[in-house]
């Protein structure tokens, strides 16, 4: 059975700080947020813990992000969701 998940990020583009809102199935699972630069290098990672239902997280990696396109990967069990993030500083 396919899990139903929804992810929103805002603002996009942003200045290096953004919010992610997620809607997960009722069953809690370990969730990790990873941010990759356009070369595929991991520049930030955070373990969000075991979450279920609605979840919101502000992401502010500090000054490590320069202007460019990044890929936010949300990993939960065997599921990986990817969202493009644009940073304009």
């Amino acid at each position: 059975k396919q899990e139903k998940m929804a992810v929103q990020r805002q603002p996009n583009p942003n200045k290096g700080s953004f919010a992610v809102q997620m809607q997960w199935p009722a069953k809690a699972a370990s969730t990790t947020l990873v941010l990759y630069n356009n070369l595929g290098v991991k520049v930030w990672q955070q373990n969000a813990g075991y979450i279920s239902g609605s979840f919101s997280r502000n992401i502010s990696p500090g000054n490590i992000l320069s202007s460019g396109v990044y890929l936010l990967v949300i990993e939960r069990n065997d599921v990986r969701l990817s969202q493009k993030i644009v940073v304009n500083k």
Side-chain angles (χ1 to χ4, degrees):
K1 183 178 177 182
Q2 180 69 25
E3 293 185 80
K4 294 218 177 205
M5 297 174 264
V7 177
Q8 293 182 338
R9 72 266 186 249
Q10 60 185 0
N12 196 30
N14 63 71
K15 298 199 179 293
S17 179
F18 55 95
V20 175
Q21 294 85 34
M22 297 171 261
Q23 181 65 43
W24 300 108
K27 185 177 179 185
S30 179
T31 304
T32 303
L33 310 172
V34 184
L35 198 59
Y36 295 94
N37 67 15
N38 62 349
L39 300 175
V41 176
K42 184 189 304 182
V43 295
W44 179 87
Q45 179 174 332
Q46 184 176 74
N47 183 350
Y50 282 82
I51 59 171
S52 64
S54 295
F55 174 79
S56 182
R57 177 73 45 104
N58 289 323
I59 298 176
S60 298
N63 293 326
I64 64 170
L65 301 182
S66 57
S67 292
V69 177
Y70 295 83
L71 189 64
L72 175 66
V73 176
I74 302 161
E75 301 171 341
R76 178 183 165 90
N77 291 341
D78 293 334
V79 177
R80 289 173 53 106
L81 298 176
S82 301
Q83 298 283 313
K84 183 172 77 170
I85 305 294
V86 178
V87 175
N88 288 330
K89 287 193 168 183

